PDB file of all heavy atoms in Angstrom:
ATOM      1  N   ASP A 266      47.109 -46.078 -11.528  1.00 97.00           N
ATOM      2  CA  ASP A 266      48.079 -45.153 -10.931  1.00 97.00           C
ATOM      3  C   ASP A 266      47.697 -44.737  -9.511  1.00 97.00           C
ATOM      4  O   ASP A 266      48.301 -43.841  -8.952  1.00 97.00           O
ATOM      5  CB  ASP A 266      48.216 -43.906 -11.808  1.00 97.00           C
ATOM      6  CG  ASP A 266      48.757 -44.219 -13.175  1.00 97.00           C
ATOM      7  OD1 ASP A 266      49.609 -45.127 -13.275  1.00 97.00           O
ATOM      8  OD2 ASP A 266      48.349 -43.567 -14.153  1.00 97.00           O
ATOM      9  N   ARG A 267      46.710 -45.378  -8.922  1.00 97.00           N
ATOM     10  CA  ARG A 267      46.244 -45.005  -7.584  1.00 97.00           C
ATOM     11  C   ARG A 267      46.919 -45.891  -6.527  1.00 97.00           C
ATOM     12  O   ARG A 267      46.284 -46.744  -5.928  1.00 97.00           O
ATOM     13  CB  ARG A 267      44.731 -45.155  -7.496  1.00 97.00           C
ATOM     14  CG  ARG A 267      43.984 -44.182  -8.379  1.00 97.00           C
ATOM     15  CD  ARG A 267      42.501 -44.394  -8.211  1.00 97.00           C
ATOM     16  NE  ARG A 267      41.734 -43.552  -9.106  1.00 97.00           N
ATOM     17  CZ  ARG A 267      40.421 -43.660  -9.255  1.00 97.00           C
ATOM     18  NH1 ARG A 267      39.749 -44.564  -8.583  1.00 97.00           N
ATOM     19  NH2 ARG A 267      39.783 -42.869 -10.091  1.00 97.00           N
ATOM     20  N   PHE A 268      48.170 -45.657  -6.300  1.00 97.00           N
ATOM     21  CA  PHE A 268      48.909 -46.510  -5.365  1.00 97.00           C
ATOM     22  C   PHE A 268      49.629 -45.739  -4.280  1.00 97.00           C
ATOM     23  O   PHE A 268      50.473 -46.285  -3.580  1.00 97.00           O
ATOM     24  CB  PHE A 268      49.881 -47.443  -6.096  1.00 97.00           C
ATOM     25  CG  PHE A 268      50.811 -46.749  -7.053  1.00 97.00           C
ATOM     26  CD1 PHE A 268      51.950 -46.106  -6.602  1.00 97.00           C
ATOM     27  CD2 PHE A 268      50.532 -46.755  -8.410  1.00 97.00           C
ATOM     28  CE1 PHE A 268      52.815 -45.484  -7.488  1.00 97.00           C
ATOM     29  CE2 PHE A 268      51.383 -46.137  -9.305  1.00 97.00           C
ATOM     30  CZ  PHE A 268      52.530 -45.500  -8.839  1.00 97.00           C
ATOM     31  N   THR A 269      49.299 -44.461  -4.101  1.00 97.00           N
ATOM     32  CA  THR A 269      49.856 -43.705  -2.979  1.00 97.00           C
ATOM     33  C   THR A 269      48.750 -43.365  -1.993  1.00 97.00           C
ATOM     34  O   THR A 269      47.565 -43.594  -2.268  1.00 97.00           O
ATOM     35  CB  THR A 269      50.574 -42.415  -3.467  1.00 97.00           C
ATOM     36  OG1 THR A 269      49.619 -41.582  -4.105  1.00 97.00           O
ATOM     37  CG2 THR A 269      51.697 -42.736  -4.427  1.00 97.00           C
ATOM     38  N   ASN A 270      49.138 -42.777  -0.894  1.00 98.00           N
ATOM     39  CA  ASN A 270      48.177 -42.395   0.143  1.00 98.00           C
ATOM     40  C   ASN A 270      47.910 -40.893   0.087  1.00 98.00           C
ATOM     41  O   ASN A 270      48.782 -40.111  -0.290  1.00 98.00           O
ATOM     42  CB  ASN A 270      48.698 -42.759   1.525  1.00 98.00           C
ATOM     43  CG  ASN A 270      48.756 -44.258   1.736  1.00 98.00           C
ATOM     44  OD1 ASN A 270      48.071 -45.011   1.061  1.00 98.00           O
ATOM     45  ND2 ASN A 270      49.594 -44.689   2.665  1.00 98.00           N
ATOM     46  N   THR A 271      46.712 -40.522   0.510  1.00 97.00           N
ATOM     47  CA  THR A 271      46.348 -39.120   0.589  1.00 97.00           C
ATOM     48  C   THR A 271      47.123 -38.476   1.759  1.00 97.00           C
ATOM     49  O   THR A 271      47.710 -39.188   2.571  1.00 97.00           O
ATOM     50  CB  THR A 271      44.834 -38.955   0.850  1.00 97.00           C
ATOM     51  OG1 THR A 271      44.548 -39.436   2.160  1.00 97.00           O
ATOM     52  CG2 THR A 271      44.002 -39.691  -0.182  1.00 97.00           C
ATOM     53  N   PRO A 272      47.107 -37.153   1.860  1.00 96.00           N
ATOM     54  CA  PRO A 272      47.759 -36.513   3.004  1.00 96.00           C
ATOM     55  C   PRO A 272      47.217 -37.005   4.358  1.00 96.00           C
ATOM     56  O   PRO A 272      47.936 -36.982   5.360  1.00 96.00           O
ATOM     57  CB  PRO A 272      47.453 -35.029   2.797  1.00 96.00           C
ATOM     58  CG  PRO A 272      47.289 -34.878   1.325  1.00 96.00           C
ATOM     59  CD  PRO A 272      46.631 -36.171   0.887  1.00 96.00           C
ATOM     60  N   ASP A 273      45.974 -37.500   4.371  1.00 95.00           N
ATOM     61  CA  ASP A 273      45.384 -38.036   5.607  1.00 95.00           C
ATOM     62  C   ASP A 273      45.722 -39.505   5.810  1.00 95.00           C
ATOM     63  O   ASP A 273      45.307 -40.107   6.791  1.00 95.00           O
ATOM     64  CB  ASP A 273      43.855 -37.880   5.564  1.00 95.00           C
ATOM     65  CG  ASP A 273      43.416 -36.431   5.492  1.00 95.00           C
ATOM     66  OD1 ASP A 273      44.181 -35.562   5.956  1.00 95.00           O
ATOM     67  OD2 ASP A 273      42.323 -36.180   4.963  1.00 95.00           O
ATOM     68  N   GLY A 274      46.455 -40.115   4.854  1.00 97.00           N
ATOM     69  CA  GLY A 274      46.838 -41.511   4.985  1.00 97.00           C
ATOM     70  C   GLY A 274      45.902 -42.523   4.351  1.00 97.00           C
ATOM     71  O   GLY A 274      46.136 -43.723   4.425  1.00 97.00           O
ATOM     72  N   GLU A 275      44.838 -42.035   3.701  1.00 97.00           N
ATOM     73  CA  GLU A 275      43.898 -42.948   3.041  1.00 97.00           C
ATOM     74  C   GLU A 275      44.530 -43.472   1.738  1.00 97.00           C
ATOM     75  O   GLU A 275      45.076 -42.701   0.956  1.00 97.00           O
ATOM     76  CB  GLU A 275      42.594 -42.211   2.729  1.00 97.00           C
ATOM     77  CG  GLU A 275      41.500 -43.101   2.207  1.00 97.00           C
ATOM     78  CD  GLU A 275      40.194 -42.358   1.932  1.00 97.00           C
ATOM     79  OE1 GLU A 275      40.120 -41.121   2.158  1.00 97.00           O
ATOM     80  OE2 GLU A 275      39.256 -43.013   1.478  1.00 97.00           O
ATOM     81  N   PRO A 276      44.475 -44.774   1.500  1.00 97.00           N
ATOM     82  CA  PRO A 276      45.060 -45.317   0.264  1.00 97.00           C
ATOM     83  C   PRO A 276      44.197 -45.009  -0.951  1.00 97.00           C
ATOM     84  O   PRO A 276      43.029 -44.657  -0.827  1.00 97.00           O
ATOM     85  CB  PRO A 276      45.090 -46.825   0.538  1.00 97.00           C
ATOM     86  CG  PRO A 276      44.012 -47.062   1.522  1.00 97.00           C
ATOM     87  CD  PRO A 276      43.918 -45.812   2.361  1.00 97.00           C
ATOM     88  N   GLY A 277      44.811 -45.139  -2.138  1.00 97.00           N
ATOM     89  CA  GLY A 277      44.054 -44.994  -3.378  1.00 97.00           C
ATOM     90  C   GLY A 277      44.242 -43.686  -4.087  1.00 97.00           C
ATOM     91  O   GLY A 277      43.525 -43.393  -5.051  1.00 97.00           O
ATOM     92  N   LEU A 278      45.235 -42.886  -3.695  1.00 97.00           N
ATOM     93  CA  LEU A 278      45.481 -41.618  -4.377  1.00 97.00           C
ATOM     94  C   LEU A 278      46.355 -41.866  -5.600  1.00 97.00           C
ATOM     95  O   LEU A 278      47.310 -42.643  -5.543  1.00 97.00           O
ATOM     96  CB  LEU A 278      46.182 -40.637  -3.429  1.00 97.00           C
ATOM     97  CG  LEU A 278      46.477 -39.240  -3.996  1.00 97.00           C
ATOM     98  CD1 LEU A 278      45.165 -38.491  -4.240  1.00 97.00           C
ATOM     99  CD2 LEU A 278      47.359 -38.461  -3.042  1.00 97.00           C
ATOM    100  N   ASN A 279      46.037 -41.209  -6.683  1.00 97.00           N
ATOM    101  CA  ASN A 279      46.844 -41.293  -7.890  1.00 97.00           C
ATOM    102  C   ASN A 279      48.183 -40.605  -7.623  1.00 97.00           C
ATOM    103  O   ASN A 279      48.229 -39.480  -7.142  1.00 97.00           O
ATOM    104  CB  ASN A 279      46.111 -40.593  -9.033  1.00 97.00           C
ATOM    105  CG  ASN A 279      46.721 -40.847 -10.387  1.00 97.00           C
ATOM    106  OD1 ASN A 279      47.925 -40.696 -10.572  1.00 97.00           O
ATOM    107  ND2 ASN A 279      45.905 -41.207 -11.349  1.00 97.00           N
ATOM    108  N   TYR A 280      49.264 -41.289  -7.966  1.00 97.00           N
ATOM    109  CA  TYR A 280      50.582 -40.699  -7.702  1.00 97.00           C
ATOM    110  C   TYR A 280      50.823 -39.436  -8.511  1.00 97.00           C
ATOM    111  O   TYR A 280      51.694 -38.631  -8.196  1.00 97.00           O
ATOM    112  CB  TYR A 280      51.694 -41.736  -7.932  1.00 97.00           C
ATOM    113  CG  TYR A 280      52.113 -41.923  -9.367  1.00 97.00           C
ATOM    114  CD1 TYR A 280      53.287 -41.329  -9.851  1.00 97.00           C
ATOM    115  CD2 TYR A 280      51.375 -42.695 -10.255  1.00 97.00           C
ATOM    116  CE1 TYR A 280      53.700 -41.506 -11.161  1.00 97.00           C
ATOM    117  CE2 TYR A 280      51.770 -42.875 -11.552  1.00 97.00           C
ATOM    118  CZ  TYR A 280      52.932 -42.290 -12.005  1.00 97.00           C
ATOM    119  OH  TYR A 280      53.331 -42.459 -13.306  1.00 97.00           O
ATOM    120  N   LEU A 281      50.031 -39.203  -9.562  1.00 97.00           N
ATOM    121  CA  LEU A 281      50.152 -38.004 -10.380  1.00 97.00           C
ATOM    122  C   LEU A 281      49.291 -36.850  -9.859  1.00 97.00           C
ATOM    123  O   LEU A 281      49.258 -35.787 -10.473  1.00 97.00           O
ATOM    124  CB  LEU A 281      49.765 -38.324 -11.821  1.00 97.00           C
ATOM    125  CG  LEU A 281      50.664 -39.338 -12.535  1.00 97.00           C
ATOM    126  CD1 LEU A 281      50.027 -39.765 -13.850  1.00 97.00           C
ATOM    127  CD2 LEU A 281      52.038 -38.764 -12.745  1.00 97.00           C
ATOM    128  N   CYS A 282      48.622 -37.041  -8.751  1.00 97.00           N
ATOM    129  CA  CYS A 282      47.680 -36.044  -8.228  1.00 97.00           C
ATOM    130  C   CYS A 282      48.282 -34.639  -8.135  1.00 97.00           C
ATOM    131  O   CYS A 282      47.672 -33.691  -8.625  1.00 97.00           O
ATOM    132  CB  CYS A 282      47.121 -36.495  -6.880  1.00 97.00           C
ATOM    133  SG  CYS A 282      46.046 -35.281  -6.101  1.00 97.00           S
ATOM    134  N   PRO A 283      49.428 -34.443  -7.511  1.00 97.00           N
ATOM    135  CA  PRO A 283      49.962 -33.075  -7.433  1.00 97.00           C
ATOM    136  C   PRO A 283      50.180 -32.440  -8.810  1.00 97.00           C
ATOM    137  O   PRO A 283      49.912 -31.258  -9.002  1.00 97.00           O
ATOM    138  CB  PRO A 283      51.300 -33.242  -6.684  1.00 97.00           C
ATOM    139  CG  PRO A 283      51.171 -34.536  -5.944  1.00 97.00           C
ATOM    140  CD  PRO A 283      50.283 -35.398  -6.802  1.00 97.00           C
ATOM    141  N   SER A 284      50.621 -33.241  -9.768  1.00 96.00           N
ATOM    142  CA  SER A 284      50.829 -32.724 -11.128  1.00 96.00           C
ATOM    143  C   SER A 284      49.501 -32.426 -11.819  1.00 96.00           C
ATOM    144  O   SER A 284      49.376 -31.408 -12.504  1.00 96.00           O
ATOM    145  CB  SER A 284      51.630 -33.725 -11.950  1.00 96.00           C
ATOM    146  OG  SER A 284      52.890 -33.941 -11.371  1.00 96.00           O
ATOM    147  N   PHE A 285      48.531 -33.327 -11.650  1.00 96.00           N
ATOM    148  CA  PHE A 285      47.208 -33.062 -12.217  1.00 96.00           C
ATOM    149  C   PHE A 285      46.642 -31.773 -11.650  1.00 96.00           C
ATOM    150  O   PHE A 285      46.137 -30.934 -12.400  1.00 96.00           O
ATOM    151  CB  PHE A 285      46.241 -34.211 -11.927  1.00 96.00           C
ATOM    152  CG  PHE A 285      46.425 -35.440 -12.770  1.00 96.00           C
ATOM    153  CD1 PHE A 285      46.055 -36.676 -12.279  1.00 96.00           C
ATOM    154  CD2 PHE A 285      46.934 -35.361 -14.053  1.00 96.00           C
ATOM    155  CE1 PHE A 285      46.205 -37.817 -13.044  1.00 96.00           C
ATOM    156  CE2 PHE A 285      47.086 -36.505 -14.840  1.00 96.00           C
ATOM    157  CZ  PHE A 285      46.720 -37.738 -14.321  1.00 96.00           C
ATOM    158  N   LYS A 286      46.712 -31.587 -10.343  1.00 96.00           N
ATOM    159  CA  LYS A 286      46.182 -30.364  -9.724  1.00 96.00           C
ATOM    160  C   LYS A 286      46.864 -29.127 -10.295  1.00 96.00           C
ATOM    161  O   LYS A 286      46.209 -28.144 -10.631  1.00 96.00           O
ATOM    162  CB  LYS A 286      46.356 -30.404  -8.208  1.00 96.00           C
ATOM    163  CG  LYS A 286      45.309 -31.173  -7.491  1.00 96.00           C
ATOM    164  CD  LYS A 286      45.473 -30.985  -6.003  1.00 96.00           C
ATOM    165  CE  LYS A 286      44.237 -31.493  -5.287  1.00 96.00           C
ATOM    166  NZ  LYS A 286      44.268 -31.180  -3.880  1.00 96.00           N
ATOM    167  N   ARG A 287      48.173 -29.204 -10.394  1.00 95.00           N
ATOM    168  CA  ARG A 287      48.924 -28.052 -10.908  1.00 95.00           C
ATOM    169  C   ARG A 287      48.516 -27.751 -12.354  1.00 95.00           C
ATOM    170  O   ARG A 287      48.303 -26.607 -12.721  1.00 95.00           O
ATOM    171  CB  ARG A 287      50.411 -28.335 -10.815  1.00 95.00           C
ATOM    172  CG  ARG A 287      51.244 -27.148 -11.124  1.00 95.00           C
ATOM    173  CD  ARG A 287      52.685 -27.386 -10.781  1.00 95.00           C
ATOM    174  NE  ARG A 287      53.441 -26.185 -11.069  1.00 95.00           N
ATOM    175  CZ  ARG A 287      54.722 -26.093 -11.049  1.00 95.00           C
ATOM    176  NH1 ARG A 287      55.443 -27.144 -10.709  1.00 95.00           N
ATOM    177  NH2 ARG A 287      55.332 -24.979 -11.342  1.00 95.00           N
ATOM    178  N   PHE A 288      48.410 -28.806 -13.167  1.00 95.00           N
ATOM    179  CA  PHE A 288      48.024 -28.620 -14.565  1.00 95.00           C
ATOM    180  C   PHE A 288      46.628 -28.019 -14.681  1.00 95.00           C
ATOM    181  O   PHE A 288      46.416 -27.037 -15.395  1.00 95.00           O
ATOM    182  CB  PHE A 288      48.085 -29.953 -15.327  1.00 95.00           C
ATOM    183  CG  PHE A 288      47.491 -29.866 -16.706  1.00 95.00           C
ATOM    184  CD1 PHE A 288      48.197 -29.273 -17.740  1.00 95.00           C
ATOM    185  CD2 PHE A 288      46.219 -30.354 -16.960  1.00 95.00           C
ATOM    186  CE1 PHE A 288      47.644 -29.164 -19.015  1.00 95.00           C
ATOM    187  CE2 PHE A 288      45.674 -30.265 -18.237  1.00 95.00           C
ATOM    188  CZ  PHE A 288      46.381 -29.665 -19.261  1.00 95.00           C
ATOM    189  N   PHE A 289      45.648 -28.620 -13.995  1.00 95.00           N
ATOM    190  CA  PHE A 289      44.272 -28.157 -14.128  1.00 95.00           C
ATOM    191  C   PHE A 289      44.083 -26.738 -13.589  1.00 95.00           C
ATOM    192  O   PHE A 289      43.283 -25.980 -14.124  1.00 95.00           O
ATOM    193  CB  PHE A 289      43.301 -29.132 -13.470  1.00 95.00           C
ATOM    194  CG  PHE A 289      43.182 -30.433 -14.232  1.00 95.00           C
ATOM    195  CD1 PHE A 289      43.470 -31.630 -13.630  1.00 95.00           C
ATOM    196  CD2 PHE A 289      42.797 -30.440 -15.571  1.00 95.00           C
ATOM    197  CE1 PHE A 289      43.371 -32.832 -14.335  1.00 95.00           C
ATOM    198  CE2 PHE A 289      42.695 -31.622 -16.292  1.00 95.00           C
ATOM    199  CZ  PHE A 289      42.993 -32.823 -15.668  1.00 95.00           C
ATOM    200  N   HIS A 290      44.824 -26.365 -12.560  1.00 95.00           N
ATOM    201  CA  HIS A 290      44.768 -24.968 -12.111  1.00 95.00           C
ATOM    202  C   HIS A 290      45.440 -24.043 -13.126  1.00 95.00           C
ATOM    203  O   HIS A 290      44.981 -22.931 -13.359  1.00 95.00           O
ATOM    204  CB  HIS A 290      45.406 -24.827 -10.732  1.00 95.00           C
ATOM    205  CG  HIS A 290      44.516 -25.280  -9.633  1.00 95.00           C
ATOM    206  ND1 HIS A 290      44.804 -26.361  -8.840  1.00 95.00           N
ATOM    207  CD2 HIS A 290      43.319 -24.844  -9.206  1.00 95.00           C
ATOM    208  CE1 HIS A 290      43.845 -26.547  -7.973  1.00 95.00           C
ATOM    209  NE2 HIS A 290      42.909 -25.643  -8.176  1.00 95.00           N
ATOM    210  N   HIS A 291      46.535 -24.506 -13.718  1.00 92.00           N
ATOM    211  CA  HIS A 291      47.267 -23.706 -14.691  1.00 92.00           C
ATOM    212  C   HIS A 291      46.424 -23.384 -15.919  1.00 92.00           C
ATOM    213  O   HIS A 291      46.493 -22.292 -16.470  1.00 92.00           O
ATOM    214  CB  HIS A 291      48.557 -24.421 -15.097  1.00 92.00           C
ATOM    215  CG  HIS A 291      49.375 -23.670 -16.093  1.00 92.00           C
ATOM    216  ND1 HIS A 291      50.123 -22.550 -15.758  1.00 92.00           N
ATOM    217  CD2 HIS A 291      49.569 -23.855 -17.428  1.00 92.00           C
ATOM    218  CE1 HIS A 291      50.737 -22.085 -16.837  1.00 92.00           C
ATOM    219  NE2 HIS A 291      50.416 -22.870 -17.861  1.00 92.00           N
ATOM    220  N   VAL A 292      45.616 -24.334 -16.370  1.00 94.00           N
ATOM    221  CA  VAL A 292      44.813 -24.135 -17.590  1.00 94.00           C
ATOM    222  C   VAL A 292      43.404 -23.625 -17.295  1.00 94.00           C
ATOM    223  O   VAL A 292      42.593 -23.498 -18.214  1.00 94.00           O
ATOM    224  CB  VAL A 292      44.734 -25.435 -18.436  1.00 94.00           C
ATOM    225  CG1 VAL A 292      46.123 -25.879 -18.874  1.00 94.00           C
ATOM    226  CG2 VAL A 292      43.991 -26.546 -17.712  1.00 94.00           C
ATOM    227  N   GLN A 293      43.147 -23.299 -16.061  1.00 94.00           N
ATOM    228  CA  GLN A 293      41.797 -22.865 -15.665  1.00 94.00           C
ATOM    229  C   GLN A 293      41.305 -21.674 -16.476  1.00 94.00           C
ATOM    230  O   GLN A 293      40.188 -21.697 -17.003  1.00 94.00           O
ATOM    231  CB  GLN A 293      41.802 -22.530 -14.176  1.00 94.00           C
ATOM    232  CG  GLN A 293      40.447 -22.254 -13.600  1.00 94.00           C
ATOM    233  CD  GLN A 293      40.514 -22.170 -12.083  1.00 94.00           C
ATOM    234  OE1 GLN A 293      41.430 -22.677 -11.446  1.00 94.00           O
ATOM    235  NE2 GLN A 293      39.550 -21.508 -11.510  1.00 94.00           N
ATOM    236  N   GLU A 294      42.089 -20.635 -16.601  1.00 92.00           N
ATOM    237  CA  GLU A 294      41.638 -19.449 -17.326  1.00 92.00           C
ATOM    238  C   GLU A 294      41.384 -19.737 -18.807  1.00 92.00           C
ATOM    239  O   GLU A 294      40.307 -19.423 -19.314  1.00 92.00           O
ATOM    240  CB  GLU A 294      42.619 -18.279 -17.184  1.00 92.00           C
ATOM    241  CG  GLU A 294      42.126 -17.041 -17.916  1.00 92.00           C
ATOM    242  CD  GLU A 294      43.137 -15.908 -17.924  1.00 92.00           C
ATOM    243  OE1 GLU A 294      44.244 -16.058 -17.391  1.00 92.00           O
ATOM    244  OE2 GLU A 294      42.803 -14.861 -18.502  1.00 92.00           O
ATOM    245  N   PRO A 295      42.326 -20.335 -19.539  1.00 93.00           N
ATOM    246  CA  PRO A 295      42.011 -20.608 -20.941  1.00 93.00           C
ATOM    247  C   PRO A 295      40.839 -21.565 -21.126  1.00 93.00           C
ATOM    248  O   PRO A 295      40.065 -21.416 -22.077  1.00 93.00           O
ATOM    249  CB  PRO A 295      43.309 -21.206 -21.510  1.00 93.00           C
ATOM    250  CG  PRO A 295      44.196 -21.465 -20.369  1.00 93.00           C
ATOM    251  CD  PRO A 295      43.710 -20.671 -19.209  1.00 93.00           C
TER     252      PRO A 295
END
């Protein structure tokens, strides 16, 4: 799933990254 670019333009970012970040921050407290 690493077929998009980072905000800096580097290749290899997982296209699910924004969702993963949101999920992992959301479940941080529990």
Side-chain angles (χ1 to χ4, degrees):
D266 297 325
R267 294 180 184 172
F268 52 80
T269 62
N270 292 337
T271 68
D273 298 334
E275 187 179 359
L278 182 68
N279 191 311
Y280 82 102
L281 297 169
C282 176
S284 299
F285 283 152
K286 278 188 167 188
R287 188 170 182 189
F288 171 77
F289 290 121
H290 282 115
H291 180 74
V292 299
Q293 188 170 338
E294 181 186 1

